[in-house]
Amino acid sequence: MPLPSSATARTSWKLPRPLTPYVFAFYMAGIMALLMCAVIVAANSGLGPRYLAQVLEAYALAMPVAFVCVIFVRPLVARLVACTVRV
């Protein structure tokens, strides 16, 4: 049975399934880099008037580095999980 046109329009923007590892890495890196930048800037500089600007400056460097790290580390982590979790 074909999907109604409104359902088709809602899902048509989604990326193809083979890109899943890269989308996962992008979201994981983005969220983790932002959280780590926020904590590290607060620990080093406090919550002053330039806090948000300092977090965003750190994030500009941390996000691409985190993305590349997640891409390369993900297969190793998957193997480590497979070695330690009973399926």
Side-chain angles (χ1 to χ4, degrees), residues 20-83:
T20 299
Y22 302 102
V23 174
F24 175 87
F26 179 79
Y27 287 138
M28 177 65 79
I31 293 167
M32 292 302 297
L34 183 61
L35 293 173
M36 294 302 298
C37 288
V39 170
I40 291 168
V41 168
N44 287 335
S45 305
L47 298 175
R50 284 205 15 90
Y51 173 72
L52 185 57
Q54 289 175 310
V55 169
L56 295 177
E57 288 169 13
Y59 184 72
L61 172 64
M63 171 49 183
V65 172
F67 178 71
V68 170
C69 289
V70 171
I71 290 291
F72 286 109
V73 171
R74 187 174 181 268
L76 172 63
V77 172
R79 276 186 249 128
L80 290 171
V81 169
C83 290

Side-chain angles (χ1 to χ4, degrees), residues 7-17 19 23:
T8 305
R10 265 187 293 211
T11 59
S12 64
W13 63 269
K14 290 188 175 182
L15 297 171
R17 186 174 301 265
L19 295 178
V23 174

